[in-house]
Amino acid sequence: MRGMTRRWRPSFLHLGWYDLSRAMVYAIVIPVYNAAAALPELDARLQRSAPGVTVLAVDDGSTDDTGQTLQRLGIRHVCHAYNRGKGEALKTGFAEILKEPVDAVVQLDADLQHEPEYLPQFFAAFEADRGDVLIGTRDFHAGAMPFHRRMTNRVTSWAITRLTGTLVSDSQSGYRLIGRRVLETIHPQAGKFDYESEFLILTIRAGFTVGTVPVSTVYHGESSFIRPWRDTVHFVMLMTKFWRRT
């Protein structure tokens, strides 16, 4: 099992003063579903970009060779017996990694759309107190994102911004760094792709700060596991629930 990276922490967070002799500890959680083909490249890039950082994959009931590939690569992982959804995979991963003394966790997808080369920027932004949660925010004018995904993201980001009063420019980005206290405090009920939207709403309403880290917009032409109509319905139901509470 790979060890954890410890990074110098010379300042204080919103959580209080830190011992100046103490270093930061990071970990990475990756929800995985039928990603055997992408895992070798992802593993190699993670080792180059964040050497020594603990990586935990959650195999969400894959039906391809994902489990065997994780085993062969030596990537620490836990498995769901069947496909439970991205939100449930993240819940499992966060619960497991919080058993260890981590200060923050980065979540990223296994399909190579979230480039590991940005991890040092996430770590630096967290250590500069730029947010309790940091979202990898993409450039929607770059042309790489399919039109329907770009429009869906704009609508959901607008709705969350209106609901919370905090500007959220890329609510659908699953590339995020989350501080430990946030993970210990925020517990969404959603278990599918709406988990990440609910997580943001609850985080902001709890008084935590949300910052951004600019990242590239990467699409390889593969089909997304997001189901546009089904997940749009889930999002509308989620927003209706919160608007009724306001």
Side-chain angles (χ1 to χ4, degrees):
M1 182 179 71
R2 297 167 192 161
M4 294 185 180
T5 287
R6 298 179 178 272
R7 295 175 180 269
W8 184 251
R9 180 65 170 183
S11 61
F12 68 92
L13 273 175
H14 309 285
L15 315 185
W17 288 93
Y18 273 70
D19 182 351
L20 293 182
S21 64
R22 184 178 180 279
M24 297 298 289
V25 181
Y26 298 103
I28 299 167
V29 168
I30 309 173
V32 182
Y33 181 67
N34 289 349
L39 286 172
E41 180 180 345
L42 176 62
D43 180 55
R45 291 169 66 179
L46 283 171
Q47 292 191 56
R48 288 195 301 267
S49 301
V53 174
T54 289
V55 176
L56 174 66
V58 181
D59 181 1
D60 190 30
S62 296
T63 57
D64 65 353
D65 294 330
T66 290
Q68 297 93 316
T69 304
L70 290 168
Q71 188 71 30
R72 175 172 57 82
L73 293 170
I75 298 175
R76 176 181 169 187
H77 61 284
V78 295
C79 299
H80 287 169
Y82 59 92
N83 182 246
R84 294 164 54 184
K86 184 180 182 182
E88 294 298 334
L90 287 170
K91 291 177 187 179
T92 296
F94 293 151
E96 180 69 19
I97 211 68
L98 286 178
K99 296 176 183 177
E100 302 174 17
V102 298
D103 294 292
V105 178
V106 176
Q107 67 170 75
L108 59 83
D109 293 343
D111 58 7
L112 301 175
Q113 290 187 12
H114 300 157
E115 297 185 302
E117 290 75 17
Y118 286 100
L119 287 167
Q121 283 95 310
F122 277 93
F123 300 152
F126 186 66
E127 293 173 20
D129 298 338
R130 283 170 46 191
D132 301 308
V133 173
L134 298 168
I135 302 174
T137 302
R138 297 161 290 184
D139 180 4
F140 295 118
H141 301 289
M145 183 180 291
F147 177 78
H148 70 281
R149 295 289 300 277
R150 190 161 65 247
M151 292 300 100
T152 298
N153 203 334
R154 286 179 175 173
V155 170
T156 57
S157 296
W158 172 85
I160 292 175
T161 296
R162 286 292 303 271
L163 182 64
T164 63
T166 297
L167 177 63
V168 177
S169 56
D170 192 354
S171 68
Q172 300 303 298
S173 174
Y175 200 176
R176 302 176 178 183
L177 180 147
I178 307 169
R180 182 185 187 94
R181 189 181 173 197
V182 179
L183 289 173
E184 292 175 334
T185 303
I186 304 303
H187 303 289
Q189 296 179 358
K192 304 294 184 181
F193 282 91
D194 48 345
Y195 170 91
E196 290 168 312
S197 294
E198 184 176 3
F199 192 99
L200 273 181
I201 295 168
L202 293 175
T203 293
I204 295 169
R205 287 191 164 187
F208 293 107
T209 57
V210 176
T212 62
V213 173
V215 299
S216 296
T217 306
V218 179
Y219 277 87
H220 303 290
E222 68 279 2
S223 61
S224 171
F225 288 114
I226 293 178
R227 302 293 182 261
W229 290 110
R230 183 197 63 187
D231 292 307
T232 297
V233 170
H234 286 171
F235 180 79
V236 170
M237 292 173 63
L238 174 69
M239 298 305 293
T240 300
K241 178 180 71 173
F242 279 104
W243 261 309
R244 285 175 176 172
R245 295 177 182 176
T246 59

